[in-house]
């Protein structure tokens, strides 16, 4: 093999740096000139140098190529291709990896490409082309679907407008067609139906006959996290995107890529080069959003490092130019690639250039810094020279790992006011629905795998230890482990019955949301469930949570999971799974709701309540609550509002704390203190005091012939209840039915066992009161009476 390839690479972005990097590894390559290149191609790559010729200056490029004996031209960006660079080099006999001017119309003219797709039955959004403003307006008025308005010509990725109302659509048409916001590119517009779904970038190499697609990528076009803010050239990518399953890729090949390549050849403009198809995965199948006739930026930076080390990009480019791509073996590793783009502060608006850039040494061989808008000064200082300045790319065996490495990479780059998105690849993690079987942890613990790593404080890192700490004999609770499985024997059960309970937090979440304290309601969630299990005599073993919101806010979700994990710890449950649902429109902005399920077990014969053993004269013990717990918050919020209190005010019932902190005190979990007493069979029955208060919950543990007689003067009614009762002027009967008044759990026991039971519960940390006894039920009388209610407040 002789190294006689002399390549002229046209362009100067991150894509071109990545291309130069991969091409330079080819044993066929003797030399690469990059015109004009950037600070990354200026030094550091073997046999690569910049030549300062503008990519639009075809005569100079051709002269230079002829003079240097260039024998392969690789145009990077679309503009020179659309302007016919391929023809210029064909004329002087130098092969070009890139489409002809005719073929480049697939990107250069949206009306052209839409008409092409229609002709060849390639799935795409419904559309009409217009040159008349009035006709375009009339069309918008006539359709009853949302529209996308596109300037037909090249507009540097900015010529696509997504109006949300008809009025906005008319304004958009005026902007493009009358105000000429995109110049000539807007002489003609395409009005398309709005497609919804996940977007994919499919990059396929072609020689005009064969097409070979590279790993499917997803781009992040908006400037800010969560896909907010204006569009950019692309702020980060990852590949392969897990949404693109083998079946989807197969469908894309059969219905889109191959028909495109065949259609172009049949229509007389065969495609040679890189065909980059933007695809929307709609519910009706994959549909084409647009064609690009060149590599994507920053898709290329994530994809090229996935080609195996012995896959020779120069050989591939030559084979495409010589129409023999079917003879080439392209090997792709089974890894994931991730790219995080660093942009100049202000981009895509105005921004500064000529800012100094310093890059610390990288710690990993699998991490690459690809420059885009950088240049070297005469003194050899690296400075910024564009909006998208530089990117860190990394490959690893898992997407999570690759995200981590890419963020570690970008943290080595120092540039004043550099901006980068913290959520690259979040969609991939969002799309992994675990349901407790696949990963053993709520999906959002992955959702931000990359998010906070750059700040050294990633969500996964934050959650991992807390989730893992909930592991217990019988179940793992490790991220990525097999959750949802429980070995009852390993936990010491012999002949167990399974018990399950499910519940939510109620409107207490509203106080958490309003106050921004989100790390305690997860404890409430677990408490509400496990307290319902323990009253059946069951030991909680596993927990799964469900978190739903309009828009996933990573910090909030992370805090919430922390609370859930803490609740699991307090109750001895393994957090084995969960689900995050992001559902705009179902909840209001900034709101979330959560539910959960606890699963436990009890030995046969030990379930509670033990109706047969209960009799009149048995004693009722009350276990102190920690506050309002998770019931009655609709009433509580009304009273707080009526009193004109803000959640941040200091609590009138307890000056040492604020309203929000006091109200958010988590529901007490009674599991660990009560379990030993259950095992010693000292307990006849228990009632968890939730909605309905003492009056309605106590009878739930009693056989029909018994009733509860409770004396309200026997325990300390907590100050918060007194204040609520007084301030809200709440009738006593009403408050008894709504709030726990200081008793979170009622326990029935034989009088003989009370001392022993009290000792066990007290040593388990409970405050125990003897609050009443069981009596024979009388027909027509309530099953629970509370005396001395006047004393409440
Ligand atoms: P284009 O340059 O045509 O790919 O458009 C740029 C971006 O606008 C795309 O990546 C999509 O996010 C969005 N877009 C374009 N066409 C549509 C469509 N028909 N429906 C929904 N989104 C679209
Ligand atoms: N990353 C999108 C593009 O290259 O067009």
């Amino acid at each position: 093999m002789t190294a006689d390839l002399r390549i002229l690479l046209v362009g100067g972005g991150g894509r071109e740096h990545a291309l130069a990097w991969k091409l330079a590894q080819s044993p066929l390559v003797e030399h690469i000139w990059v015109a004009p290149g950037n600070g990354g191609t200026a030094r550091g790559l073997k046999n690569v140098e910049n030549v300062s010729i503008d990519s639009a200056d075809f005569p100079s490029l051709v002269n230079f190529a002829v003079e240097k004996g260039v024998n392969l031209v690789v145009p990077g960006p679309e503009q020179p291709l659309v302007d016919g660079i391929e023809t210029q080099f064909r004329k002087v006999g130098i092969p070009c990896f890139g489409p002809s001017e005719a073929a480049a119309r697939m990107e250069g003219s949206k009306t052209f490409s839409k008409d092409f797709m229609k002709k060849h039955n390639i799935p795409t959004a419904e559309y009409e082309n217009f040159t008349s403003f009035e006709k375009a307006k009339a069309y918008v008025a006539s359709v009853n679907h949302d529209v996308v308005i596109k300037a037909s010509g090249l507009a540097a990725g900015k010529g696509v407008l997504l109006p949300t109302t008809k009025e906005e659509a008319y304004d958009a048409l005026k902007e493009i067609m009358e105000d000429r916001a995109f110049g000539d590119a807007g002489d003609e517009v395409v009005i398309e139906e709005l497609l919804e779904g996940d977007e994919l970038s499919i990059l396929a190499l072609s020689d005009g006959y064969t097409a070979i697609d590279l790993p499917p990528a997803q781009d992040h076009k908006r400037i800010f996290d969560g896909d907010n803010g204006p569009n950019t050239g692309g702020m980060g990518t990852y590949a392969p995107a897990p949404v693109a399953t083998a079946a989807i890729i197969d469908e894309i090949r059969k219905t889109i890529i191959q028909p495109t390549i065949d259609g172009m050849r049949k229509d007389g403009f065969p495609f040679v080069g890189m065909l980059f198809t933007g695809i929307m995965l709609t519910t009706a199948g994959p549909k084409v959003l647009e064609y690009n006739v060149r590599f994507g930026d920053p898709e290329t930076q994530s994809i090229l490092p996935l080609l195996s080390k012995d896959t020779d990009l120069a050989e591939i480019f030559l084979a495409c130019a010589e129409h023999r791509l079917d003879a080439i073996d392209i090997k792709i590793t089974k890894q994931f690639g991730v790219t995080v783009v660093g942009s100049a502060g202000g981009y895509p608006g105005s921004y500064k250039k000529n800012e100094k850039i310093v890059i610390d040494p990288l710690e990993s061989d699998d991490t690459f810094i690809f420059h885009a808008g950088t240049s070297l000064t005469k003194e050899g200082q690296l400075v910024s020279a564009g909006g998208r300045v530089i990117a860190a790319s990394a490959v690893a065996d898992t997407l999570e790992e690759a995200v981590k490495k890419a963020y570690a990479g970008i943290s080595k780059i120092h540039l004043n006011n550099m901006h980068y998105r913290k959520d690259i690849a979040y969609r991939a993690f969002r799309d992994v629905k675990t349901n407790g079987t696949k990963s053993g942890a709520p999906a959002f613990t992955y959702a931000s795998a990359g998010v906070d790593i750059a700040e050294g404080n990633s969500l996964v890192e934050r959650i991992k230890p807390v989730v893992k700490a909930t592991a217990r004999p019988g179940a793992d609770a490790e991220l990525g482990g097999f959750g949802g499985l429980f070995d009852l024997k390993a936990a010491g059960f012999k002949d167990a019955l399974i018990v399950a309970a499910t519940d939510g937090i109620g409107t207490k979440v509203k106080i958490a949301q309003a106050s921004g304290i989100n790390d305690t309601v997860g404890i409430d969630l677990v408490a509400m469930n496990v307290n319902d299990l323990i009253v059946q005599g069951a030991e909680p073993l596993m927990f799964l949570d469900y978190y739903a919101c309009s828009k996933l806010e990573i910090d909030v979700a992370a805090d919430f999971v922390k609370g859930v994990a803490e609740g699991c710890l307090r109750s001895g449950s393994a957090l084995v799974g969960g689900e995050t649902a992001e559902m705009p429109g179902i909840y209001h902005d900034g709101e979330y709701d959560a539910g959960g399920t606890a699963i436990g077990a009890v030995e046969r014969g030990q379930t509670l309540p033990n109706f047969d053993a209960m009799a009149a004269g048995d004693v009722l013990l009350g276990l102190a609550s920690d506050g309002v717990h998770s019931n009655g918050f609709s009433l509580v919020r009304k009273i707080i509002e009526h009193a004109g209190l803000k959640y941040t005010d200091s609590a009138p019932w307890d000056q040492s704390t604020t309203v929000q902190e006091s109200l958010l005190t988590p529901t007490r979990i009674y599991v660990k203190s009560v379990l030993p007493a259950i095992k010693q069979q000292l307990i006849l029955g228990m009632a968890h005091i939730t909605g309905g208060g003492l009056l309605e919950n106590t009878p739930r543990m009693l056989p029909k012939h018994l009733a509860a007689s409770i004396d309200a003067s026997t325990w300390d009614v907590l100050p918060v209840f007194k204040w609520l009762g007084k301030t809200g002027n709440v009738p006593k009967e009403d408050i008894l039915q709504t709030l726990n008044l200081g008793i979170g759990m009622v326990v029935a026991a034989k009088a003989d066992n009370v001392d022993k039971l009290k000792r066990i519960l007290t040593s388990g940390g409970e405050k125990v009161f003897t609050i009443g006894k069981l009596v024979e039920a009388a027909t027509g009388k309530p099953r629970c009476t509370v005396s001395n209610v006047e004393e409440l407040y």
Side-chain angles (χ1 to χ4, degrees):
M1 209 182 298
T2 44
D4 58 4
L5 260 187
R6 300 166 70 81
I7 298 177
L8 176 61
L9 175 59
V10 179
R15 162 184 51 211
E16 285 74 29
H17 187 184
L19 287 167
W21 164 81
K22 186 67 185 170
L23 287 169
Q25 292 166 25
S26 161
L28 300 178
V29 169
E30 183 190 334
H31 203 84
I32 300 172
W33 291 271
V34 193
N38 60 34
T41 52
R43 67 177 177 204
L45 292 175
K46 201 180 73 178
N47 300 329
V48 177
E49 70 179 296
N50 286 347
V51 40
S52 130
I53 305 175
D54 191 273
S55 59
D57 184 357
F58 293 171
S60 301
L61 288 172
V62 171
N63 282 343
F64 178 83
V66 171
E67 188 184 305
K68 294 288 181 186
V70 164
N71 45 16
L72 178 66
V73 175
V74 180
E78 63 275 13
Q79 193 71 53
L81 288 163
V82 170
D83 293 344
I85 194 170
E86 187 267 350
T87 322
Q88 302 301 315
F89 283 99
R90 189 158 18 98
K91 277 189 191 151
V92 292
I94 303 179
C96 187
F97 173 80
S100 65
E101 186 173 351
R105 282 177 297 174
M106 292 290 272
E107 177 165 1
S109 163
K110 290 197 192 287
T111 50
F112 177 84
S113 71
K114 291 298 281 192
D115 291 343
F116 173 88
M117 286 185 262
K118 188 183 262 179
K119 177 175 173 196
H120 293 282
N121 286 320
I122 292 165
T124 187
E126 289 299 321
Y127 75 103
E128 294 281 340
N129 301 331
F130 296 93
T131 46
S132 144
F133 173 60
E134 288 309 323
K135 283 194 181 140
K137 240 178 110 173
Y139 174 77
V140 169
S142 74
V143 295
N144 53 12
H145 53 70
D146 283 335
V147 297
V148 178
I149 297 177
K150 302 182 173 182
S152 179
L154 285 184
K158 293 188 182 132
V160 176
L161 302 175
L162 299 135
T164 53
T165 62
K166 298 249 177 204
E167 287 313 314
E168 275 179 39
Y170 303 144
D171 289 348
L173 286 173
K174 183 167 173 302
E175 195 183 330
I176 299 178
M177 303 186 83
E178 300 219 311
D179 304 343
R180 302 181 63 76
F182 308 107
D184 293 350
D187 285 350
E188 195 169 10
V189 297
V190 181
I191 303 180
E192 275 186 19
E193 104 190 83
L194 178 84
L195 298 179
E196 284 172 299
D198 266 296
E199 277 188 63
L200 273 188
S201 300
I202 301 294
L203 274 67
L205 294 152
S206 183
D207 62 356
Y209 298 85
T210 304
I212 299 180
D213 51 277
L214 300 178
Q218 274 198 319
D219 189 7
H220 299 61
K221 291 203 168 105
R222 306 293 187 118
I223 185 79
F224 297 126
D225 285 9
D227 296 325
N228 291 303
N231 259 326
T232 71
M235 294 303 295
T237 48
Y238 65 103
V243 280
T245 58
I248 288 177
I249 292 298
D250 195 51
E251 188 178 354
I252 290 173
R253 283 179 189 148
K254 287 198 183 112
T255 64
I256 295 173
I257 306 300
Q258 199 60 49
T260 301
I261 295 299
D262 292 342
M264 290 180 75
R265 190 179 60 251
K266 285 177 192 151
D267 286 356
F269 42 94
F271 188 89
V272 170
M274 166 52 66
L275 181 71
F276 161 1
T277 311
I279 285 172
M280 188 75 92
L281 299 179
T282 74
T283 47
K287 294 190 180 184
V288 176
L289 288 172
E290 60 163 350
Y291 291 110
N292 298 301
V293 297
R294 34 90 191 162
F295 276 89
D297 189 340
E299 283 87 347
T300 307
Q301 294 90 309
S302 290
I303 292 175
L304 289 185
L306 297 175
L307 300 183
S308 75
K309 292 230 156 43
D310 57 344
T311 291
D312 185 335
L313 192 62
E315 185 188 11
I316 294 171
F317 285 180
L318 263 189
C320 286
E322 293 165 359
H323 314 292
R324 50 176 183 85
L325 184 58
D326 58 349
I328 299 290
D329 189 21
I330 298 180
K331 282 196 228 117
I332 311 282
T333 66
K334 288 212 154 42
Q335 292 187 298
F336 292 85
V338 172
T339 299
V340 179
V341 172
S343 60
Y347 171 83
S350 61
Y351 53 84
K352 282 196 194 150
K353 290 186 186 175
N354 288 313
E355 297 275 303
K356 204 169 132 184
I357 303 169
V358 174
I359 307 173
D360 295 338
L362 297 179
E363 278 146 21
S364 136
D365 288 347
D366 293 339
T367 308
F368 316 97
I369 302 296
F370 292 124
H371 295 225
T374 74
S375 65
L376 284 185
T377 62
K378 278 196 209 88
E379 298 73 37
Q381 171 63 51
L382 188 67
V383 294
S384 64
R388 288 191 297 166
V389 178
I390 197 161
S393 301
V395 293
D397 291 343
T398 66
L399 187 53
E400 216 179 331
E401 228 4 72
V403 168
K404 227 188 230 182
K405 280 184 168 176
Y407 276 104
I410 198 99
S411 74
K412 304 285 180 198
I413 301 172
H414 307 286
L415 161 67
N416 266 343
N417 295 323
M418 184 170 83
H419 163 79
Y420 56 89
R421 277 181 61 163
K422 315 287 184 294
D423 65 345
I424 300 306
Y426 83 95
R427 281 177 180 277
F429 300 116
R430 192 203 54 181
D431 289 335
V432 178
K433 299 290 186 205
T434 63
N435 263 336
T437 49
K438 197 168 165 196
S439 77
F444 42 73
T445 55
Y446 293 117
S448 50
V451 174
D452 290 325
I453 283 162
E455 294 148 29
N457 197 13
S458 92
L459 174 61
V460 164
E461 296 312 312
R462 270 190 284 166
I463 294 310
K464 229 183 210 164
V466 282
V467 172
K468 195 176 152 86
T470 69
R472 49 155 295 150
D476 278 339
E478 236 171 292
L479 290 180
F482 288 99
L485 188 81
F486 198 94
D487 184 339
L488 285 170
K489 280 214 174 112
F493 287 93
K494 295 187 178 66
D495 180 19
L497 307 179
I498 297 291
V499 184
T502 193
D503 206 348
I505 306 167
T507 55
K508 190 172 185 173
V509 288
K510 274 192 152 322
I511 297 186
Q513 284 153 20
S515 60
I517 303 172
N518 296 294
D519 59 353
T520 55
V521 283
I523 304 177
D524 288 290
L525 179 63
V526 177
M528 294 305 285
N529 282 283
V530 294
N531 288 342
D532 281 355
L533 282 193
I534 196 83
V535 301
Q536 302 177 69
E539 176 182 351
L541 303 173
M542 297 194 279
F543 193 79
L544 301 98
D545 68 295
Y546 171 80
Y547 178 94
C549 54
S550 61
K551 167 130 191 38
L552 187 61
E553 288 177 54
I554 304 298
D555 287 341
V556 176
D559 277 353
F560 173 77
V561 180
K562 251 199 235 167
V564 172
E566 175 58 27
C568 287
L569 273 183
R570 291 189 191 181
S571 63
S573 322
L575 179 53
V576 297
E579 165 80 343
T580 305
E582 191 178 23
M583 298 187 290
I586 302 269
Y587 299 93
H588 294 116
D589 278 355
E591 286 185 352
Y592 64 84
D593 190 20
T597 298
I599 294 152
V602 53
E603 291 294 353
R604 194 182 300 275
Q606 291 184 13
T607 54
L608 292 179
N610 184 352
F611 283 172
D612 293 343
M614 281 189 202
D618 290 344
V619 176
L620 292 177
L621 300 180
L623 308 189
S625 72
D626 284 344
V628 187
H629 285 184
S630 313
N631 291 103
F633 271 88
S634 296
L635 175 65
V636 172
R637 288 188 300 118
K638 272 236 159 66
I639 298 173
I640 299 283
E641 194 185 318
H642 162 77
L645 278 178
K646 291 197 295 288
Y647 289 138
T648 47
D649 288 344
S650 75
W653 58 86
D654 177 1
Q655 296 293 333
S656 72
T657 182
T658 58
V659 171
Q660 61 195 28
E661 273 170 31
S662 173
L663 291 180
L664 286 173
T665 306
T667 306
R668 189 166 180 82
I669 292 178
Y670 295 98
V671 173
K672 289 194 175 167
S673 55
V674 165
L675 258 184
I678 295 177
K679 290 204 170 132
Q680 293 182 44
Q681 303 192 346
L682 297 171
I683 292 178
L684 299 170
M686 280 188 289
H688 178 202
I689 307 307
T690 62
L694 284 165
L695 291 180
E696 285 178 18
N697 285 293
T698 314
R700 291 167 79 181
M701 67 165 170
L702 301 178
K704 286 222 153 42
H705 67 95
L706 292 175
S709 170
I710 294 175
D711 179 353
S713 67
T714 54
W715 75 87
D716 308 327
V717 175
L718 300 177
V720 59
F721 296 111
K722 293 186 178 173
W723 182 88
L724 285 167
K726 271 199 204 124
T727 311
N729 195 20
V730 190
K732 304 258 161 54
E733 289 300 310
D734 214 76
I735 207 164
L736 264 175
Q737 267 187 356
T738 315
L739 302 174
N740 71 59
L741 295 178
I743 298 295
M745 186 69 85
V746 175
V747 179
K750 290 289 170 205
D752 289 350
N753 288 334
V754 163
D755 285 346
K756 192 170 177 194
L757 179 56
K758 273 189 167 175
R759 268 200 307 279
I760 293 176
L761 293 172
T762 310
S763 72
E766 302 301 342
K767 207 165 168 190
V768 189
F769 306 95
T770 303
I771 60 167
K773 58 180 194 300
L774 296 187
V775 295
E776 291 297 343
T779 29
K781 288 272 159 59
R783 304 279 310 288
C784 178
T785 52
V786 179
S787 59
N788 288 324
V789 278
E790 312 72 47
E791 314 294 319
L792 287 177
Y793 47 86

